[in-house]
Amino acid sequence: MSRTMRVGVLGAGQLGRMLALAGHPMGVRCVAYAQQPDEPACAVGEHVIGAWDDPAALDEFASRIDVATYEFENVPLEAVRRVGAKVPLRPSIDALRVAADRIEEKTLFRELGIDTPPFAAIDSEDDLRAAVATIGLPAVLKTRTMGYDGKGQRVLRTMQDVDGAFTALGARPSILEGFVAFEREVSQLGVRGADGSIAFYPLAENVHRDGILRVSIAPARATIAIEETARAYLRAILESLDYVGVLALELFQAGDRLLANEMAPRVHNTGHHTIEAAETSQFESHLRAVAGLPLGSTALHGHAAMVNLVGALPEPASILAIDGAHLHLYGKEPRPGRKVGHVTVRADDEAGRDARLAEVLRVVDAL
Amino acid sequence: MSRTMRVGVLGAGQLGRMLALAGHPMGVRCVAYAQQPDEPACAVGEHVIGAWDDPAALDEFASRIDVATYEFENVPLEAVRRVGAKVPLRPSIDALRVAADRIEEKTLFRELGIDTPPFAAIDSEDDLRAAVATIGLPAVLKTRTMGYDGKGQRVLRTMQDVDGAFTALGARPSILEGFVAFEREVSQLGVRGADGSIAFYPLAENVHRDGILRVSIAPARATIAIEETARAYLRAILESLDYVGVLALELFQAGDRLLANEMAPRVHNTGHHTIEAAETSQFESHLRAVAGLPLGSTALHGHAAMVNLVGALPEPASILAIDGAHLHLYGKEPRPGRKVGHVTVRADDEAGRDARLAEVLRVVDAL
């Protein structure tokens, strides 16, 4: 008989929680590596508690799993290396390293022929001034590592903004990116199996507010040419990194141009709608790939929208009363700017989806 | 902010497991009452371990929950009463009592004008002979309580089968039911909220083998008149019992007649397809009702089929390789006749569903 497959997940936030929930039915048991026992993934499955620099806890974690993955890209590389020396790591540490560093990431995009905004590495105020002279303003200065949800970045609009910006951002290795006047932000998610097979989710379209994803709809309102370009980009990255698992690529669409913004080597917030709206959710897809199982269909049923719950929780009844609304809470205490859950709606057509989305936004915007 | 709602589930089998998995996203935390820590629900959430006659464990369980429910109908009534004295019990103990006794159940059906096969209470060999004289043969002799999956019953075809049958079945209070030459077995699932609102799932059609459900498809191939009758029956039961939660009614269809066979006051094996194929799964529906939350849509997306895995587990990859197949394992060791998992397929049309179902059966029948 078949044995339970154990997938270790470095990190225990909401992504780890939704991975664990997706694993249980198909006999894939997730073991989360958490810093604290109250992290979202801990309530739904096995876990090991330890600091990122605790070799004994990391070894205990590795001893309990068949394969390891990670649910966010800021896991310290040393911790990942230690676990990866004992069990297979999927995606590889290379994917993590590249995705965790904005310069490495954009350099890879460029090498693969993937269009990006203009960018330059910034290690000093002098570098910044020189780069602004080439790239122009407005531009965005971001730390190379550890940035997420709009943290660790400054928009530079005038030369006054430029002076001292590098120091103000902590004088850390940074990147300057040319500002793109885009029409919409989209994201392309896909999954590559251990056997090299690839499946793409339909392109999603995203709306951010204060640097945090607010709403995502799928499929995106995009031409077939745009969608084909997005898939070609993602395929190039998946194959060049011999990638196994779900990969998300965030892009700007400006007319016929599609420019890569960043990638996430994991399941992604813009793919949460796949739980209800896709034949196989991104969480199940990631686990199938990581566990060496066949990939499932990534086809979407109709039209979906997802609304993040940021900083405040609705009364569950206020969401559940909306026809077709699905509530996902992460078991986190609300704090300003913190993602504490999301709501998904689905409908057979776009108009139906939009009507449901409007109802959800009415509740969520009033929080 | 909203607090986590805790629903205690008496029983920790696969139904409790799927309830717990459905509860996590919407902030409803299930606490299972299990006899052993290796029962299916224990791996996916909180649980209390105790015997059915352990008052301290039952009280500990009751102290950790806001409301209680049960996941099978053979929970000893004393245990249910003890918990129900401390927290609200949904569905009520009356529903449990009626459903656990085939005579009480069929008597309720008759009182509500719900057609049933002819039946009689049997407490002796004399009773049995008298009932056979009235009802005729073939007929089925069943114990009034504790029967499931074809256990605790004997089919009587000739007068030789009748002699000594009551004694052979343990001389326990029993029921004799006239044998119905039915065309198909169907089941009507529905849910009633704490506010009295009712939602019906589309009728499902079921195929048993050796007394155990093998395959279920939905929607059933039934006329609108049949479906309306099934809904009217279910509504009558829900309202007469002031029922809260999911209720399943198994029926025989013989021409235009629809005869009630038995009811289950809980989520049901013939509703497992609702996880993938309905807007709101039966597990989420039951928890919404029990937790006093608004009911969700019970609409089905396309056509679904479910195949039980009985006595043997397939290699997960052999199922997951089938387009659109969803694997559900319960974390149980296989034994002959034991339900250890199920597989669901869905498609937009009946032919597509049937093609996928055939592929699943090819794998499952070869086990």
Side-chain angles (χ1 to χ4, degrees):
Chain A
M1 65 153 287
S2 56
R3 203 177 60 82
T4 297
M5 180 82 170
R6 280 173 201 264
V7 174
V9 181
L10 288 155
Q14 60 264 25
L15 301 178
R17 178 182 172 98
M18 290 185 274
L19 283 169
L21 289 173
H24 283 302
M26 59 176 176
V28 172
R29 188 77 71 87
C30 290
V31 181
Y33 191 81
Q35 314 297 291
Q36 305 290 340
D38 63 351
E39 289 176 43
C42 297
V44 302
E46 282 183 57
H47 48 277
V48 172
I49 309 293
W52 291 123
D53 59 356
D54 180 342
L58 289 165
D59 290 352
E60 158 72 12
F61 172 70
S63 75
R64 286 170 57 177
I65 59 179
D66 300 303
V67 57
T69 189
Y70 35 87
E71 57 115 55
F72 75 126
E73 56 270 43
N74 294 321
V75 180
L77 286 178
E78 266 316 300
V80 180
R81 238 176 242 122
R82 187 165 190 106
V83 172
K86 299 195 153 94
V87 295
L89 180 72
R90 292 171 176 167
S92 71
I93 199 157
D94 283 343
L96 183 65
R97 198 178 38 73
V98 169
D101 182 324
R102 293 183 193 281
I103 290 289
E104 292 225 33
E105 182 180 66
K106 287 237 165 38
T107 304
L108 174 69
F109 293 163
R110 188 175 277 172
E111 284 168 7
L112 295 172
I114 297 171
D115 201 1
T116 70
F119 67 92
I122 307 294
D123 292 304
S124 67
E125 295 287 352
D126 280 350
D127 283 353
L128 178 58
R129 274 187 296 271
V132 166
T134 313
I135 291 171
L137 292 180
V140 191
L141 183 67
K142 301 176 178 175
T143 57
R144 283 175 65 156
T145 62
M146 298 300 286
Y148 67 96
D149 285 354
K151 296 185 175 75
Q153 55 180 269
R154 295 171 81 89
V155 178
L156 312 181
R157 295 181 193 284
T158 68
M159 284 311 291
Q160 272 118 318
D161 294 338
V162 174
D163 285 340
F166 175 73
T167 310
L169 209 57
R172 290 161 55 199
S174 296
I175 184 173
L176 186 74
E177 297 176 355
F179 200 83
V180 176
F182 58 82
E183 281 147 56
R184 56 174 61 101
E185 291 176 82
V186 294
S187 54
Q188 177 63 59
L189 269 69
V191 57
R192 186 165 176 270
D195 63 355
S197 56
I198 292 177
F200 297 103
Y201 285 99
L203 202 63
E205 181 174 337
N206 313 312
V207 179
H208 287 76
R209 184 192 288 179
D210 303 329
I212 301 176
L213 179 68
R214 176 70 169 172
V215 173
S216 183
I217 64 169
R221 294 162 297 176
T223 60
I224 289 174
I226 286 287
E227 185 133 31
E228 280 174 356
T229 302
R231 290 181 178 210
Y233 285 177
L234 196 71
R235 178 183 291 279
I237 301 169
L238 289 168
E239 292 182 341
S240 78
L241 293 170
D242 193 18
Y243 192 96
V244 177
V246 166
L247 178 68
L249 181 62
E250 291 191 80
L251 305 128
F252 300 124
Q253 186 211 328
D256 292 339
R257 276 183 81 192
L258 202 53
L259 301 93
N261 178 29
E262 61 181 39
M263 69 186 218
R266 52 167 169 82
V267 288
H268 194 255
N269 198 167
T270 60
H272 288 357
H273 65 274
T274 59
I275 294 176
E276 284 86 10
E279 186 67 38
T280 310
S281 79
Q282 63 164 344
F283 301 100
E284 181 172 340
S285 286
H286 188 69
L287 291 179
R288 285 186 185 220
V290 167
L293 294 164
L295 300 185
S297 162
T298 47
L300 218 58
H301 305 319
H303 291 256
M306 186 235 40
V307 178
N308 268 337
L309 300 172
V310 180
L313 284 171
E315 272 303 322
S318 68
I319 296 295
L320 297 176
I322 299 168
D323 198 32
H326 297 273
L327 178 61
H328 296 262
L329 301 178
Y330 306 151
K332 291 159 82 171
E333 283 300 312
R335 283 202 302 259
R338 193 181 208 202
K339 291 177 189 168
V340 290
H342 74 267
V343 180
T344 304
V345 291
R346 200 208 63 82
D348 289 336
D349 56 34
E350 204 171 338
R353 186 270 317 276
D354 288 346
R356 290 175 168 186
L357 172 59
E359 283 192 78
V360 173
L361 287 174
R362 205 173 306 132
V363 173
V364 173
D365 286 340
L367 291 176
Chain B
M1 63 153 288
S2 56
R3 201 175 62 82
T4 298
M5 179 82 170
R6 277 170 203 266
V7 174
V9 181
L10 288 155
Q14 60 264 25
L15 301 178
R17 179 183 172 100
M18 290 184 275
L19 283 169
L21 289 173
H24 283 302
M26 60 176 176
V28 172
R29 188 78 71 89
C30 290
V31 181
Y33 191 80
Q35 314 298 291
Q36 305 290 339
D38 63 351
E39 289 176 43
C42 297
V44 303
E46 282 184 57
H47 48 277
V48 172
I49 308 293
W52 291 123
D53 59 355
D54 179 343
L58 289 165
D59 290 352
E60 158 71 11
F61 172 70
S63 76
R64 286 170 57 176
I65 59 178
D66 301 302
V67 58
T69 189
Y70 36 87
E71 57 114 55
F72 75 126
E73 56 270 41
N74 295 322
V75 180
L77 286 178
E78 267 315 299
V80 181
R81 241 178 239 120
R82 187 165 189 105
V83 172
K86 299 196 152 99
V87 295
L89 181 72
R90 293 172 175 165
S92 72
I93 199 157
D94 283 343
L96 184 65
R97 199 178 38 72
V98 169
D101 183 324
R102 295 183 192 280
I103 289 289
E104 291 225 33
E105 182 181 66
K106 287 239 165 37
T107 303
L108 174 70
F109 293 164
R110 186 175 277 173
E111 284 168 7
L112 295 172
I114 296 171
D115 201 0
T116 69
F119 67 92
I122 306 295
D123 292 305
S124 67
E125 295 286 350
D126 281 349
D127 283 353
L128 179 57
R129 274 186 296 271
V132 165
T134 312
I135 290 171
L137 293 179
V140 190
L141 183 67
K142 302 175 178 175
T143 57
R144 283 174 66 156
T145 61
M146 299 301 284
Y148 66 97
D149 285 353
K151 296 185 174 73
Q153 54 181 269
R154 293 171 81 90
V155 178
L156 312 181
R157 296 182 191 281
T158 67
M159 283 312 291
Q160 270 118 318
D161 295 336
V162 174
D163 284 340
F166 175 73
T167 311
L169 209 57
R172 292 160 53 198
S174 296
I175 184 173
L176 186 74
E177 296 177 357
F179 200 84
V180 177
F182 58 83
E183 281 147 55
R184 55 173 63 102
E185 291 176 81
V186 294
S187 55
Q188 178 63 58
L189 270 69
V191 57
R192 185 163 176 271
D195 62 355
S197 56
I198 291 177
F200 297 103
Y201 285 99
L203 201 63
E205 181 174 337
N206 312 312
V207 179
H208 288 75
R209 184 191 290 180
D210 304 328
I212 300 176
L213 179 68
R214 175 69 170 175
V215 173
S216 183
I217 64 169
R221 294 161 298 175
T223 61
I224 289 173
I226 286 288
E227 185 134 32
E228 280 175 357
T229 302
R231 291 181 179 210
Y233 285 177
L234 196 71
R235 178 183 293 279
I237 302 169
L238 289 168
E239 292 182 342
S240 79
L241 293 170
D242 193 18
Y243 193 95
V244 176
V246 166
L247 178 68
L249 181 62
E250 292 190 80
L251 306 129
F252 300 124
Q253 186 210 329
D256 292 339
R257 277 184 80 191
L258 201 54
L259 301 95
N261 178 28
E262 60 181 40
M263 68 186 218
R266 52 167 169 83
V267 288
H268 194 256
N269 197 168
T270 61
H272 288 357
H273 65 275
T274 59
I275 294 176
E276 284 86 11
E279 186 67 37
T280 309
S281 79
Q282 64 164 344
F283 302 99
E284 181 171 339
S285 286
H286 187 70
L287 291 179
R288 285 186 186 220
V290 167
L293 294 164
L295 301 185
S297 162
T298 47
L300 217 58
H301 305 320
H303 292 257
M306 187 235 41
V307 177
N308 268 337
L309 301 173
V310 181
L313 284 171
E315 272 304 321
S318 69
I319 296 295
L320 297 175
I322 299 168
D323 198 32
H326 296 273
L327 179 62
H328 295 262
L329 300 178
Y330 306 151
K332 291 159 82 171
E333 284 299 314
R335 284 203 301 259
R338 192 180 207 202
K339 291 177 188 167
V340 290
H342 73 267
V343 179
T344 304
V345 292
R346 200 209 63 83
D348 289 337
D349 56 35
E350 205 172 336
R353 186 270 317 276
D354 288 346
R356 289 175 169 188
L357 172 59
E359 283 192 77
V360 173
L361 288 174
R362 205 172 307 134
V363 173
V364 173
D365 285 339
L367 290 176

